[in-house]
């Protein structure tokens, strides 16, 4: 996993590359995942050049079914990507939710075993339309849930309802699929930070995915075409056939190392360790809807809720 971006405008000026994505001046923690790396000037330029190349590739060779998937409903964070989501039983009058990664928190990475719930937050998110234009700034009222244990997820509750967002900006939320994703599914990783769509398939699932001090269960593994980069952390992974969110993008093995930061390894049920350099991963979210009740309120004590608890 990668370190969040603090500022890249001066780097871009030196590199002659034009403008950078809008970045809020929020504190950010160093560490893991597909948030944006700012270890060095070189790393920032590398990520930006790679992103530009990827965007051009996506535009010139789109998936045959990509017309069903756009950037509408995705959001840009100061250091990551995300999306406005709803659950199958959410109502238009409910406060809207934003999905991203646990490692994208501005307060630092949750430690192994740590779960954060219902913490006051005023974090802002740039809401994008289908073409990737920023149409609004949404604001959180609280961080409803965040953890990096078993999964890598953060869910913010907004001050706006789905109905308000729809009436004001004609943007609908993305619906979370509440059943386990399927290998072979054609997917799009939609990055609000980079305003880029990555198209590939679900290659399979890792029984355990270990990176540094963190371990995630039943992670989604992409085929190699989804070459996600820093800043794509928290992107919704969208089923191209249904338009539903089946996972949240979070990491990839960059250097071929085993089980280190930026180099997750797969651990089988028997303990066999497999390293797949250049392959990227996401965390499943089908179990999240069971943990939210009326008006999109978190209820970890629900009988069918399996999310880690504080």
């Amino acid at each position: 996993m990668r370190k969040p971006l603090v500022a890249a405008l001066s780097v871009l000026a030196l590199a002659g590359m034009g403008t950078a994505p809008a970045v809020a001046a929020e504190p950010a923690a160093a560490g893991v995942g597909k948030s944006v790396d700012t270890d060095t000037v070189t790393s920032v330029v590398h990520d930006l050049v790679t992103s530009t190349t990827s965007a051009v590739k996506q535009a010139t060779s789109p998936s045959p079914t990509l017309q069903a998937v756009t950037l509408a409903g995705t959001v840009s964070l100061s250091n990551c990507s995300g999306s406005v989501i709803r659950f199958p039983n959410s109502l238009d009058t409910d406060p809207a939710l934003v999905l991203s990664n646990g490692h994208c928190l501005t307060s630092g990475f949750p430690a192994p075993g740590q779960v954060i719930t219902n913490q006051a937050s005023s974090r802002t998110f740039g809401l994008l339309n289908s073409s990737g234009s920023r149409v609004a700034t949404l604001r959180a009222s609280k961080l409803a849930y965040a953890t990096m244990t078993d999964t890598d997820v953060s869910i913010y509750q907004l001050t706006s309802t789905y109905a308000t967002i729809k009436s004001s900006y004609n943007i609908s939320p993305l619906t979370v699929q509440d059943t386990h994703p399927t290998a072979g599914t054609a997917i799009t990783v939609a990055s609000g930070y980079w305003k880029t769509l990555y198209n590939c398939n679900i290659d399979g699932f890792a029984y355990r995915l270990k990176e540094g001090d963190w371990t995630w269960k039943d992670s989604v593994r992409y085929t190699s075409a989804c070459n996600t980069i820093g800043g794509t952390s928290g992107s919704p992974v969208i089923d191209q056939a249904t338009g539903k969110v089946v996972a949240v993008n979070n990491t990839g093995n960059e250097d071929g190392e085993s089980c280190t930061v930026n180099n997750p390894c797969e651990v089988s049920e028997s303990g066999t360790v497999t390293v797949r350099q250049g392959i990227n991963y996401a965390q499943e979210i089908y179990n999240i809807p069971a943990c939210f009740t009326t008006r999109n309120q978190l209820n970890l004590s629900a009988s069918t809720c399996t999310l880690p608890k504080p």
Side-chain angles (χ1 to χ4, degrees):
M1 290 179 281
R2 301 183 179 186
K3 294 183 180 180
L5 178 67
V6 176
L9 290 174
S10 61
V11 176
L12 285 169
L14 290 171
M17 290 179 59
T19 59
V23 179
E26 299 185 46
V32 294
K34 290 291 181 180
S35 50
V36 182
D37 187 355
T38 54
D39 282 342
T40 64
V41 168
T42 301
S43 68
V44 175
V45 174
H46 174 269
D47 278 349
L48 293 170
V49 171
T50 305
S51 175
T52 301
T53 303
S54 175
V56 171
K57 181 179 179 181
Q58 296 295 333
T60 56
S61 57
S63 164
T65 56
L66 184 59
Q67 64 270 17
V69 179
T70 71
L71 289 166
T74 64
V75 300
S76 58
L77 284 68
S78 56
N79 57 352
C80 289
S81 300
S83 57
V84 179
I85 59 159
R86 71 180 301 155
F87 303 128
N89 293 328
S90 296
L91 301 177
D92 291 345
T93 52
D94 289 341
L97 302 174
V98 162
L99 170 71
S100 190
N101 284 148
H103 79 259
C104 291
L105 301 183
T106 57
S107 57
F109 300 142
Q114 182 181 8
V115 176
I116 301 167
T117 62
N118 295 321
Q119 182 181 91
S121 174
S122 58
R123 191 170 193 182
T124 58
F125 311 90
L127 178 65
L128 305 185
N129 64 13
S130 59
S131 63
S133 297
R134 182 170 177 151
V135 296
T137 298
L138 304 177
R139 185 174 296 276
S141 61
K142 67 179 179 180
L143 175 61
Y145 184 86
T147 192
M148 288 178 66
T149 298
D150 295 350
T151 185
D152 183 7
V153 66
S154 60
I155 301 174
Y156 292 86
Q157 180 177 301
L158 302 183
T159 58
S160 306
T161 66
Y162 299 119
T164 299
I165 294 172
K166 177 67 173 179
S167 63
S168 299
Y169 314 111
N170 197 31
I171 301 291
S172 298
L174 302 175
T175 299
V176 171
Q177 178 176 300
D178 59 0
T179 57
H180 194 284
T182 304
T185 298
I187 55 172
T188 296
V189 182
S191 172
Y193 187 96
W194 289 117
K195 302 175 177 60
T196 300
L197 302 174
Y198 300 82
N199 305 301
C200 63
N201 294 77
I202 295 178
D203 182 57
F205 306 93
Y207 175 73
R208 296 289 184 268
L209 191 67
K210 180 174 175 56
E211 180 171 346
D213 295 331
W214 292 273
T215 300
W216 304 306
K217 296 180 178 180
D218 198 20
S219 302
V220 174
R221 179 176 63 247
Y222 307 144
T223 54
S224 59
C226 279
N227 55 339
T228 52
I229 63 171
T232 62
S233 282
S235 299
V237 180
I238 302 170
D239 184 325
Q240 291 181 7
T242 67
K244 293 184 177 181
V245 184
V246 297
V248 58
N249 179 68
N250 81 311
T251 195
N253 187 294
E254 298 178 0
D255 308 309
E257 296 179 4
S258 180
C259 312
T260 63
V261 171
N262 298 325
N263 295 284
C265 63
E266 297 184 22
V267 183
S268 71
E269 194 168 2
S270 64
T272 301
V273 175
T274 303
V275 174
R276 304 178 191 268
Q277 184 175 5
I279 295 300
N280 297 295
Y281 300 88
Q283 300 308 308
E284 295 172 355
I285 57 173
Y286 73 94
N287 59 333
I288 294 179
C291 303
F292 282 77
T293 185
T294 305
R295 292 194 54 76
N296 277 350
Q297 297 305 300
L298 180 69
N299 180 17
L300 293 177
S301 63
S303 60
T304 54
C305 178
T306 59
L307 285 176
K309 299 170 177 58

